[in-house]
Amino acid sequence: MNLAANANVALYSSMIVYTLAMLAFSWHLSARAPHVAEARTRAYEREGVLVGSGAPSRGSSTLPDAAELPEHESAKSRQRGNIALMLTYLATALLLAAVLMRGLAVSRPPWGNMYEFATAAASAVGLAFCLLAKKNNWQWLGVFIVTPILLVLGLAVAVLYTDAGELMPALKSYWLGIHVSVAFIAVAFFTIGFAIGVLYLVRARREQNPDTKPSFIESLPSSASLERTAYSVNMVGFILWTFTLIAGAIWAKQAWGAYWQWDPKEIWTFVIWTVYAAYMHSRATAGVDHRKSMYLALTGFVCVIVNFTLVNLVSTFVGMHNYSGM
Amino acid sequence: MSTDTSTDLATENPDNPGRRAEPTLPELGALGSLRFVWRQLTSMRTALFLLLLLAIAAVPGSIFPQRNIDAGRVADYIAQHPSSAPWLDRFGFFDVFSSPWFSAIYLLLFVSLVGCIIPRTKVHLKALRARPPRAPARLSRLDQHAELTTDLSPDEALAAARELLKRKRFRLHSHDDVSLSGESGYLRETGNLIFHLSLTGIIVGMAVGHLFGWRGDVILPEGEKFASSAGTYNTYAPGPWVNDEQLPPFVLGLDKLDVQFNKVPGKGFGMPREFTAYTSLSPGPGQPATPESVSVNHPLTVDGADIFLLGNGYTPVITVKNAKGEVLYREATPFLPQDADYRSVGVIKVSALPTPKQLGITGFFLPTAEPTFVNGPVSLFPDTENPEVALSIWEGTLFPGNAPQSVYTLDTDQMKQVTKADGSPALVRLKPGETYQIPGGRGSITFESVKRFAGLSVRTDPGAPISLVSAILATGGLILGLTIKRRRVFVRVRPVVASAGGPDGDQATPATVVTIGGLSKDSDAGLASIVDALHDHLAERKDRS
């Protein structure tokens, strides 16, 4: 019981640090916007001068991406971005500790009910972001990742909280560790892909109407670059989701005697898979606007949310996956 | 399409002068029309549309109760929605996944898929044998390109480029002396094709399972035995091509069912903790039995059939005697649980009596009865803390017209409820060991004891391994198809004479201009780094020489 209480303390602490990280990331964006926009203009002018100067001619005639130009970021903005990143590392470490202690308290994988799934998924989002942020200069993305993490943690603590306890027999299987963990890691990638996807759509719109008042959006990487990143992240999510589906089917065969019975959770897992598959196909089809494809990916994420909330909690969707603990 | 008919050309019809000719669409013919339909069906846009349609069509299956999951909930829904439910039923909303419209979508999708992968497989097999194409004349027009001047001779430069690209697993070919073509990432399309082919494999596995698989469910009280055959299951659902004679003839006895519930008050009180059935299993009648246990997540396998523990409940042992004290009925009768606290309903049909004097006893079994009954018969906890039965008694004809009926329902059409002397219905509440004298000298009912029953499901699915292998292959193919990039890299060399201001004055030294171009079908962040690597590799060579 002591361990479970400590887990809660760690969780609350991580929420406090995530809040600070969120503020720091916003602070970073506010410092970044004008400077990066200026840097881009300067770079553009210099590029114009360089043409024909005999330097090795490379194919990059488009505007350089802000994310590719960290050296042009003002010292102030870079400093704030790094502070925010450090805070995110700390908060994620605390959250991972909370998940780990919860797992030790209940002597099983700590994702056996909605509360535990939400916190584990939030920690996966945090961890995935931490692992990718430094390398890809994702400081601009931070606020759009940390805010949903906070939202989910808040919801988990306020609405979904379930005391540490033993599982019902159907969940007592090593497949809980495999199927459910891959599921929430997939959800973590879909969450990051969703955030970048929304930013891409906003950025693409502003690139078409450049006269609008400048904002931090201008400091983001180009829409083409955002689109590529969102695609890659969603692709990882999609592969993991495929694995989730198959692992779930194997477990269902063991627990319920049939690998596929069109239980509501299975249906929505299938719907999510199908929608993201449609996104992958749509993007691979020549002549389809990438923005249209992105709307499919966003729809897929809405289905992920429906699958976690409505399907778990609304009695219309009653089925065999009734493990919400609510 | 080439069916462009220009009606603007005012061609005169020779047979009917003065009138403008009808626009002449080229005659497609039956074969041509078929080909047109086929092209439409196998186009990516159609596949995309069908894929989305499939996702949308699956959703009603999660909103409306489905017969294949819970026929009882469907019946309740129909009773509660008398105006809309018949229409929903007519359009298959209670059997979404076997409805014609859902089947039509996925069949069309799979036809489209096959129509797409067959030609693509042919193209890919050809590409696998083909050489990389000739290098374009102007590599600077490609997505990624670089240029450098080196002291290496043209042949040396090409050799150096070949060396690096070989290491990066490019397939290489020189169509002439001044260029090199390289291509890599053939596994991308291989992966794509494996993925799509494996999806059809999953469907084949499902079809095999449907045709050759069977399931039988049986309710087995503690201390009783069950011999597997088509006739002995409570419900038996064979696939269309199953030979009922070939079911495994095992005999399963339930020695004990261990069930535990959470007794800690608060959230989760009464939640199940453990279900384990201790059984004795023999492969056939008369053969020695071995002790085996079945629990949730741990099925038992015998002769290719898996035995699952899917449910449990209580079987009150009830004895009915006539006025002379002769036993008319003594059985452990399964009562089916209705809620998480195992308020269970069941029926006892005393058919040993002549019609219309047969007795039907129906009512509740409560493992932990709420004693006051203020809210009717309610159970407070799923375990037997305070077991009690609450029954009503009916008299008349149990099986009107000898029509088959469920053992869990009582058809009271031709029965009347037994009343006490004052005319009020006789309601029986018994604890284990208690006896009730039925009014009117009809005999007695005794609640002897209570035993648990196990709800066992025996299933075979010969298609499952096919689906599993296909699914694993599909995942592998998906990973290859999504992560590997198809790339082409070209190198062109052009000898030039560079004038170097050496000590000997204006002496012309031979040099080579190398242009590198990279091309990728997909958005490919890695292509630039390959072109860069090639550039640096050649530049280094220059420094060394």
Side-chain angles (χ1 to χ4, degrees), chain A residues 58 170 172 246 251 268 318, chain B residues 44 62 73 273 297 475 532:
Chain A
R58 294 295 324 274
K172 285 180 187 162
I246 295 168
W251 188 10
W268 279 90
V318 68
Chain B
M44 182 69 117
S62 72
R73 280 190 68 223
R273 286 285 173 253
N297 275 314
T475 314
D532 283 348

Side-chain angles (χ1 to χ4, degrees), chain B residues 318-329 348-350 353 357-362 391-396 415-422 424-430 434-447:
Chain B
I318 287 174
T319 305
V320 181
K321 291 179 184 165
N322 62 14
K324 290 181 221 157
E326 292 164 352
V327 173
L328 301 172
Y329 182 99
I348 292 150
K349 296 179 185 178
V350 188
L353 290 164
K357 291 283 176 191
Q358 290 178 325
L359 289 178
I361 300 164
T362 177
L391 306 167
S392 61
I393 307 161
W394 298 70
E395 191 182 51
M415 304 195 94
K416 266 175 64 184
Q417 194 162 3
V418 174
T419 52
K420 290 188 277 198
D422 61 3
S424 65
L427 293 175
V428 189
R429 286 181 62 179
L430 295 174
E434 293 180 349
T435 299
Y436 176 81
Q437 298 297 330
I438 309 173
R442 291 181 176 91
S444 66
I445 303 172
T446 307
F447 177 19

Side-chain angles (χ1 to χ4, degrees), chain B residues 59-81:
Chain B
V59 172
S62 72
I63 294 172
F64 299 106
Q66 298 293 300
R67 286 210 173 85
N68 65 325
I69 292 181
D70 193 342
R73 280 190 68 223
V74 175
D76 289 349
Y77 187 92
I78 292 175
Q80 282 161 23
H81 302 81

Side-chain angles (χ1 to χ4, degrees), chain A residues 201-212 223 289 291:
Chain A
L201 288 174
V202 176
R203 180 91 166 99
R205 170 172 290 186
R206 291 186 72 104
E207 276 174 13
Q208 278 198 330
N209 316 303
D211 295 338
T212 41
S223 65
D289 187 352
R291 271 180 294 181

